[in-house]
Amino acid sequence: MDSDQITGLYGKVSGLAAPVSAHVSEEQLPEVRIYTVTAEWIQTDLVRNSRLRYAQQWTLIADSNNHKSIRTVLPPGPCSPLSGELLSELSPICGLRAVVRETSSQQLLEIWDRHGLRKSLNLSALNIHGRVYDDTQFGCLSWSECESKLLFVAERSRSSSAETRSGESASRKDRSVYCEDWGEALTSKSVPVLCVVDLHHGEVQVLQGVPQDVSPGQALWAPGSQAVFFVGWYQEPFRLGLKFCSNRRSALFRLSLDGRCECISGDNLSVSCPRLSPDGSTLIYLQGRVFGPHNQCLSVQQLDLSSGKTSTMVDVVSRPQTGEFAGVYEALPSRCWSADGQKVVFSSAVRNWKDVFMVDRGTKKVSSLSDTADVSDLSKVYGSWKLLTVQRDLMVICCSSPNLPPTLRVGFLPSADESVTWRTLQQPVTTFDYLWTVLDVTPTSDEDNQRYPGLDFGAILVKPSRLFCETGTPVVVFVHGGPHSQFPAEWNSTTAGLVELGFAVLMVNYRGSTGFGQDSILSLIGQIGSQDVKDVQRAVMASLQSDKTLDPKRLAVIGGSHGGFLSCHLVGQYPDSYRACAARNPVINAATLLGTSDIVDWRYTSAGFQFSYDNIPNAETLAAMLLKSPITHAAQIKAPVLLMLGGKDRRVSPHQGLELYKVLKSRGSPVRYKQAALKPKMVAQTLGLLPFHFSLQVVMVSGGRTLSVQGGHSGRLLPQHRAVAEPTPLSKSF
């Protein structure tokens, strides 16, 4: 295939939209009940090198006397672009829509009703605070009960007369003084403040009383709207990166509007995602350990606001049994309560799948709500169920699988001993005739973890439905980063693009991945570069043994971050197995990364050492980190290597990839190094499309323009104007 064909193919699979959020409103008519579902979607546009956001609306008609039975789903309205919108929120009573919009470097707060724009405030011109936070870590936009006030989080103003915290006023005046931030993807977030807008008077107030040693975020109104709840992340003695890290010391606080603040959660814990019950009696939140694995199995805590007592609703799962709930590993949706306040709904990883669950507050029983389709026919099964919202007991779900792009479905919460009747609102514009299967892999006895014995892991194999080559299907081994994350059996445009080109793709969930229990996560501590590498190779061998249509002589490996770390390990430790490697932002030398990463705690923990803020590197720790690094196997690498590096990556410095580049270059090994500057707004999980084909050129090509990394650590691949010479082949036939 030539570059134009590959460009068209990539545009086909990457341009499919996916829903990311939803809202439900309700209207009671004499004979029917009307539900309006508004979903926000994202879609990649290669022409503009950006991701577009748009909204679409559906009308559901239910019986008045049996409102949980959907009679009719009307065709959706047209897609409406959400140009410049950073945050938006509908008020629960009057249906007002609050929007924080960015236009011409100005941030505006707009209030819309059924008659149009009702009010607009230029937040930038008021100069009460800095930029409004629109990230998922700190950001929020919350209506008060009376719907006359809005709560949000913004950067503290550096130029206004707003009160500054003690000891920092001098450094604010001297712009050359270093200002800490919260790391990768949060580089503009340093000193957040809680802000309240009085819509009647058009005034903005920065709330006082937040403890000086915490950064507030994820705020919401307390019952009565005379106080707010918020999560405070401790920032002393210095800030550590927050993105993808659920192990940061933090607490839940209650702050009254007159400035009185109290901590309402335990000490030396990590908390997030506070969610208030519909009757205002109970606050639930996620809780985890401080330090250790950067991502972990979390518990769900419930705080009785009248008594002040906290109890566990969902506990940490150490080692789930086959087919059982495996624990909570991701954030709660902003709306997760049932209408009666007795149930909580959420999504979470389960081995190689993602499912939606409901927990009963009384019995604390956790139940799966997904379809009970026959899993023997994977062509009709959704491998991933992600809850977008539940409002008025109507759940809105995004479903997908490796051969089925994202689909929007709805269903009402079931009564006791009932199952959910799911309705599909939006089918994908196309489906793909791929074959996929889930593999359960057991380590050999010599690869078993002595501290956590008996653990297994999994993988997902996706391949074309027909052979493209008589010698068998070449395989691309796709390794996820983290390492404490997961490849669920969901739609993945990278995987789809490779399968369209004729490759099989093996996505491996090695021990340490989420969805397999806390023991699996803990088993990787101190074992990176060994246990995880062997697991991936074991999964490769298992797939080749179980599927004889795969070609064992044509293997390639790709991955980003820790996936790039493992990719480079694999071509170094198993040099005769792999014909090519593509690594995005890989960790190459853990010892030299120690002083440059925004998550220095993980650098110690991953190597098996205890972290303390006052740690000083010594010969023992540096030697151990070096021995666990791919650079120690660089001399054995035979396969051509493509390194794709974010120029301003705060988590894994581009100098990491440069170390490997220089070693390979000096030894005459085929290597290509591509680096791009950071564009903070352009962050995506996808690695992009790697067009190997059978005569492999390890290079990104797109319609006469090279593909390169944009963004920081979790960068994306997008076409850019050619700034380098025509790429040359890096390998022989693949």
Side-chain angles (χ1 to χ4, degrees):
M1 298 176 69
D2 60 29
S3 61
D4 288 338
Q5 290 176 299
I6 295 174
T7 301
L9 185 149
Y10 180 58
K12 173 184 176 183
V13 297
S14 68
L16 297 172
V20 292
S21 64
H23 185 275
V24 177
S25 58
E26 178 186 20
E27 183 179 1
Q28 178 65 58
L29 299 180
E31 297 183 357
V32 296
R33 189 182 297 260
I34 305 297
Y35 293 91
T36 301
V37 176
T38 304
E40 181 180 323
W41 299 69
I42 57 171
Q43 185 175 17
T44 299
D45 180 17
L46 293 183
V47 175
R48 281 181 274 194
N49 295 350
S50 63
R51 306 183 85 183
L52 308 179
R53 294 167 53 238
Y54 66 87
Q56 198 167 20
Q57 200 169 86
W58 286 262
T59 300
L60 285 57
I61 302 176
D63 294 329
S64 181
N65 56 354
N66 183 14
H67 66 276
K68 289 192 175 184
S69 175
I70 299 175
R71 180 195 301 175
T72 306
V73 177
L74 299 181
C79 300
S80 303
L82 302 175
S83 176
E85 289 193 9
L86 303 179
L87 296 168
S88 66
E89 184 67 19
L90 284 172
S91 67
I93 301 174
C94 299
L96 302 175
R97 186 167 186 262
V99 176
V100 176
R101 189 185 308 276
E102 184 161 23
T103 173
S104 301
S105 74
Q106 300 288 309
Q107 289 190 327
L108 308 177
L109 175 63
E110 303 169 344
I111 307 298
W112 296 79
D113 61 16
R114 295 184 177 182
H115 303 288
L117 182 63
R118 178 168 171 176
K119 195 175 191 67
S120 180
L121 292 175
N122 189 328
L123 299 177
S124 300
L126 291 175
N127 199 26
I128 303 298
H129 53 75
R131 293 186 59 80
V132 176
Y133 285 17
D134 62 334
D135 60 279
T136 57
Q137 187 69 47
F138 292 97
C140 65
L141 187 61
S142 178
W143 285 92
S144 63
E145 289 182 3
C146 61
E147 300 191 354
S148 64
K149 295 180 179 179
L150 279 166
L151 172 66
F152 61 88
V153 179
E155 181 70 9
R156 189 182 63 185
S157 175
R158 298 190 180 190
S159 57
S160 73
S161 59
E163 180 182 347
T164 59
R165 298 182 182 179
S166 61
E168 292 192 28
S169 57
S171 65
R172 289 297 181 184
K173 295 177 181 178
D174 186 350
R175 300 295 175 147
S176 64
V177 172
Y178 174 66
C179 182
E180 291 183 17
D181 57 46
W182 284 103
E184 175 64 27
L186 298 170
T187 54
S188 61
K189 314 297 191 296
S190 179
V191 186
V193 292
L194 302 177
C195 304
V196 172
V197 179
D198 186 325
L199 296 176
H200 289 328
H201 300 92
E203 297 175 347
V204 180
Q205 174 191 4
V206 174
L207 298 185
Q208 304 300 314
V210 175
Q212 293 185 12
D213 60 342
V214 303
S215 286
Q218 299 184 13
L220 67 158
W221 290 98
S225 300
Q226 296 304 304
V228 299
F229 299 119
F230 69 90
V231 175
W233 284 271
Y234 290 93
Q235 58 199 27
E236 299 296 340
F238 56 83
R239 294 164 176 81
L240 291 166
L242 278 180
K243 189 74 172 177
F244 306 128
C245 295
S246 63
N247 64 341
R248 297 287 173 250
R249 182 173 175 239
S250 49
L252 206 56
F253 294 87
R254 182 185 185 275
L255 174 67
S256 62
L257 297 186
D258 60 8
R260 291 174 296 157
C261 189
E262 61 175 326
C263 179
I264 56 176
S265 64
D267 188 31
N268 201 32
L269 296 168
S270 173
V271 304
S272 63
C273 302
R275 304 290 186 257
L276 188 65
S277 62
D279 61 2
S281 66
T282 306
L283 189 70
I284 64 170
Y285 57 92
L286 299 181
Q287 179 176 290
R289 300 176 182 177
V290 177
F291 298 142
H294 66 86
N295 198 13
Q296 56 189 311
C297 187
L298 303 167
S299 66
V300 181
Q301 301 293 314
Q302 54 181 346
L303 171 63
D304 187 303
L305 295 177
S306 60
S307 67
K309 294 182 178 180
T310 302
S311 60
T312 300
M313 180 185 293
V314 181
D315 210 347
V316 172
V317 178
S318 295
R319 192 171 299 209
Q321 300 298 314
T322 303
E324 292 186 357
F325 172 65
V328 180
Y329 299 93
E330 57 185 67
L332 299 174
S334 58
R335 292 178 177 85
C336 57
W337 285 92
S338 62
D340 61 6
Q342 297 304 307
K343 302 178 182 67
V344 174
V345 192
F346 58 92
S347 303
S348 191
V350 185
R351 295 184 66 83
N352 303 292
W353 311 76
K354 182 173 288 186
D355 206 346
V356 58
F357 297 95
M358 177 179 69
V359 56
D360 187 286
R361 285 182 60 194
T363 64
K364 298 184 180 179
K365 178 184 177 181
V366 180
S367 307
S368 169
L369 298 179
S370 61
D371 241 331
T372 55
D374 180 9
V375 296
S376 63
D377 184 5
L378 291 180
S379 65
K380 300 179 181 179
V381 171
Y382 294 111
S384 172
W385 293 67
K386 185 171 180 61
L387 177 69
L388 302 180
T389 190
V390 54
Q391 293 171 264
R392 298 166 175 82
D393 285 348
L394 183 65
M395 297 177 287
V396 184
I397 308 283
C398 173
C399 296
S400 71
S401 65
N403 63 336
L404 295 173
T407 301
L408 198 66
R409 308 188 86 194
V410 295
F412 285 100
L413 287 176
S415 303
D417 301 322
E418 291 183 354
S419 59
V420 182
T421 300
W422 293 102
R423 294 287 296 266
T424 299
L425 296 186
Q426 180 85 320
Q427 292 279 10
V429 295
T430 184
T431 59
F432 295 84
D433 188 22
Y434 304 155
L435 302 177
W436 64 280
T437 186
V438 173
L439 306 175
D440 294 319
V441 186
T442 301
T444 60
S445 57
D446 61 317
E447 295 174 355
D448 203 17
N449 188 298
Q450 298 304 309
R451 188 175 179 186
Y452 298 95
L455 296 172
D456 67 347
F457 59 98
I460 303 163
L461 177 66
V462 189
K463 65 177 186 177
S465 59
R466 62 183 179 87
L467 283 176
F468 281 59
C469 183
E470 295 179 358
T471 59
T473 303
V475 182
V476 175
V477 181
F478 195 177
V479 193
H480 70 68
H484 307 306
S485 61
Q486 180 218 25
F487 268 141
E490 66 183 5
W491 174 256
N492 184 301
S493 60
T494 301
T495 298
L498 290 167
V499 176
E500 285 286 294
L501 286 170
F503 294 91
V505 180
L506 182 69
M507 300 181 286
V508 184
N509 289 314
Y510 44 87
R511 281 174 290 175
S513 302
T514 54
F516 292 80
Q518 183 71 353
D519 281 1
S520 180
I521 289 174
L522 294 174
S523 74
L524 190 54
I525 302 303
Q527 303 296 321
I528 62 165
S530 174
Q531 175 179 291
D532 43 7
V533 177
K534 293 175 181 176
D535 282 357
V536 176
Q537 189 66 10
R538 180 64 51 196
V540 172
M541 295 299 101
S543 64
L544 293 175
Q545 292 170 7
S546 64
D547 191 334
K548 299 303 181 182
T549 66
L550 305 180
D551 188 348
K553 296 181 179 180
R554 292 189 292 171
L555 299 177
V557 60
I558 63 174
S561 187
H562 193 83
F565 168 86
L566 293 179
S567 298
C568 295
H569 258 301
L570 286 162
V571 293
Q573 294 192 37
Y574 304 94
D576 295 325
S577 295
Y578 296 93
R579 303 293 298 276
C581 170
R584 174 181 53 79
N585 295 344
V587 175
I588 298 301
N589 185 340
T592 57
L593 181 62
L594 188 60
T596 62
S597 177
D598 68 330
I599 53 171
V600 61
D601 62 307
W602 171 242
R603 305 307 166 199
Y604 280 97
T605 301
S606 63
F609 296 98
Q610 195 75 23
F611 171 74
S612 174
Y613 279 102
D614 59 358
N615 276 3
I616 297 177
N618 56 45
E620 179 189 2
T621 57
L622 294 176
M625 292 175 183
L626 177 62
L627 290 175
K628 296 178 182 298
S629 303
I631 195 72
T632 59
H633 304 282
Q636 286 76 50
I637 295 177
K638 299 178 181 179
V641 175
L642 173 63
L643 298 168
M644 301 170 289
L645 311 177
K648 297 183 180 179
D649 192 335
R650 295 289 301 280
R651 191 141 297 176
V652 181
S653 166
H655 293 285
Q656 286 287 300
L658 187 59
E659 282 193 50
L660 181 61
Y661 173 81
K662 290 179 177 178
V663 170
L664 297 179
K665 190 80 170 178
S666 67
R667 306 178 77 87
S669 299
V671 59
R672 186 174 175 87
Y673 169 19
K674 296 187 69 63
Q675 177 176 314
L678 175 67
K679 292 191 176 181
K681 294 286 184 181
M682 309 181 80
V683 177
Q685 294 296 328
T686 180
L687 174 66
L689 180 63
L690 185 62
F692 287 104
H693 203 49
F694 300 128
S695 179
L696 176 65
Q697 293 185 358
V698 187
V699 64
M700 301 294 177
V701 182
S702 176
R705 296 175 292 170
T706 60
L707 285 175
S708 59
V709 178
Q710 286 189 346
H713 187 65
S714 49
R716 61 193 303 189
L717 296 179
L718 293 171
Q720 290 192 323
H721 294 294
R722 181 174 306 285
V724 297
E726 189 68 27
T728 56
L730 295 180
S731 77
K732 300 178 182 178
S733 63
F734 177 53

